[in-house]
């Protein structure tokens, strides 16, 4: 019997990965709220994707309707929605449940561990460019999405490998990582630098880098964010640092409209659960 997967939300990220897994035959249920429930009942869960379109009828449940524990909970809320989401999915957590959070940042790991116990919480992150359109369809663009999951202590356990295999499907790549916290910090530096650069200069990274001192400013912000990660014990790997510099200081000349909303994001705090 396959693992039961509860995807918390059917938005731009949870909806994408959940739909792909369900299409591959995995036992997937979406935890949704009333508005999204009615929307998906009316039109189905629709992906418009650079790697293939999908429309499916998802299995859904609302808070209060969860029956029994699930094996895996895929969690991709924004930080400000975390407390409410935990209350909603708490009945789905049993002694053997593993929670795979896809939030940006790090604080949510401690919050989840305090509530459900350290053994229940894995590390996780993803890279995907997706959004909900006006009809509630998930529009994914860019390169093949990636989902990474691993034990927080870096151990290569059979359980981690099994969960990575379960959280897989056509339309994205799944990685079982033995350095998942480093992966999460690498992504944090990218997003923290991006947000700082765009907000401080009130422009897109393309606009900023095209100015005489723009690239120097962007690199200074990136290195400041990287120093924060290093102080926490997770200095950026060379490839990650070079990739961030290239994306925010060089590639942006080819994509002058790039801003915070165009960089790989995840979560569905800006859409109904």
């Amino acid at each position: 019997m396959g693992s039961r997967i509860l995807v918390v939300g059917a938005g731009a990220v949870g909806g994408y990965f959940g739909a792909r897994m369900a299409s591959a035959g995995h036992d997937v249920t979406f935890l949704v709220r009333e508005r999204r429930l009615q929307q998906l009942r009316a039109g189905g869960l629709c992906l418009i994707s650079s790697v293939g379109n999908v429309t499916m009828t998802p299995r859904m449940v609302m808070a209060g309707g969860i029956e029994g524990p699930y094996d895996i909970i895929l969690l991709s809320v924004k930080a400000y929605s975390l407390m409410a989401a935990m209350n909603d999915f708490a009945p789905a957590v049993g002694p053997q449940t593993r929670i795979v959070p896809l939030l940006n940042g790090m604080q949510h790991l401690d919050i989840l561990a305090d509530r459900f116990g350290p053994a229940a919480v894995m590390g996780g992150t993803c890279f995907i460019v997706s959004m909900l359109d006006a009809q509630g369809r998930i529009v994914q663009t860019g390169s093949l999405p990636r989902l990474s999951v691993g034990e927080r202590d870096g151990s290569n356990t059979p359980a981690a490998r099994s969960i990575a295999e379960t959280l897989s499907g056509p339309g994205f790549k799944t990685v079982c990582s033995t350095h998942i916290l480093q992966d999460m910090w690498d992504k944090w530096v990218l997003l923290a630098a991006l947000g700082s650069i765009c907000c401080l200069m009130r422009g897109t990274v393309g606009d900023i880098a095209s100015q005489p001192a723009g690239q120097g400013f962007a690199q200074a912000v990136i290195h400041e964010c990287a120093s924060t990660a290093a102080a926490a014990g997770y200095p950026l790997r060379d490839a990650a640092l070079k990739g961030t510099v290239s994306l925010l200081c060089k590639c942006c000349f080819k994509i002058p409209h790039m801003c915070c909303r165009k960089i790989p994001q995840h979560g569905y705090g800006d859409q109904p659960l």
Side-chain angles (χ1 to χ4, degrees):
M1 184 175 179
S3 298
R4 299 180 72 211
I5 305 168
L6 181 68
V7 179
V8 181
V13 172
Y16 182 88
F17 289 113
R20 292 295 190 190
M21 288 187 287
S23 297
H26 295 299
D27 183 353
V28 177
T29 300
F30 294 91
L31 175 61
V32 296
R33 292 186 177 142
E34 180 67 28
R35 180 181 172 187
R36 189 63 168 153
L37 177 76
Q38 297 303 326
Q39 190 176 47
L40 295 179
R41 280 179 174 171
L45 180 53
C46 179
L47 308 185
I48 301 173
S49 171
S50 61
V51 292
N53 298 341
V54 170
T55 298
M56 60 166 296
T57 302
R59 182 187 301 125
M60 297 179 287
V61 66
M62 293 180 62
I66 294 173
E67 296 181 357
Y70 284 74
D71 299 298
I72 303 170
I73 296 175
L74 189 65
L75 175 64
S76 58
V77 299
K78 296 294 180 75
Y80 50 76
S81 300
L82 178 59
M83 302 306 291
M86 288 195 303
N87 292 334
D88 288 345
F89 73 73
V93 181
Q96 305 302 318
T97 302
R98 303 301 300 274
I99 303 168
V100 180
L102 300 180
L103 286 75
N104 293 324
M106 310 300 295
Q107 187 180 30
H108 62 277
L109 296 177
D110 291 334
I111 295 173
L112 288 164
D114 287 344
R115 175 74 178 268
F116 301 108
V121 183
M122 303 188 73
T125 189
C126 68
F127 284 85
I128 180 172
V129 181
S130 60
M131 61 175 288
L132 288 185
D133 67 10
Q135 290 75 47
R137 301 174 299 181
I138 298 168
V139 180
Q140 179 269 325
T141 59
S143 59
L144 185 71
R146 184 172 81 249
L147 187 155
S148 297
V149 58
E151 302 285 4
R152 289 187 291 153
D153 63 4
S155 56
N156 184 13
T157 65
R161 294 193 297 270
S162 176
I163 289 170
E165 182 178 357
T166 299
L167 297 178
S168 63
F172 67 96
K173 178 182 179 181
T174 303
V175 177
C176 182
S177 175
T178 55
H179 40 72
I180 191 64
L181 294 186
Q182 183 68 61
D183 298 339
M184 294 170 67
W185 274 105
D186 289 353
K187 184 178 181 183
W188 178 87
V189 170
L190 167 64
L191 297 180
L194 173 68
S196 298
I197 291 166
C198 293
C199 290
L200 287 171
M201 293 293 102
R202 299 183 183 181
T204 68
V205 289
D207 294 335
I208 296 160
S210 66
Q211 301 304 308
Q215 290 195 53
F217 169 76
Q219 291 192 41
V221 173
I222 292 167
H223 285 284
E224 178 68 19
C225 293
S227 70
T228 300
Y234 295 92
L236 255 67
R237 295 163 290 190
D238 288 343
L241 183 58
K242 290 178 181 177
T244 297
V245 170
S246 177
L247 183 62
L248 301 186
C249 301
K250 298 177 182 179
C251 293
C252 51
F253 282 117
K254 300 178 183 179
I255 314 174
H257 62 277
M258 185 187 294
C259 64
C260 294
R261 296 181 62 84
K262 300 295 182 180
I263 291 292
Q265 297 280 354
H266 58 255
Y268 46 83
D270 58 346
Q271 61 248 355
L273 192 68

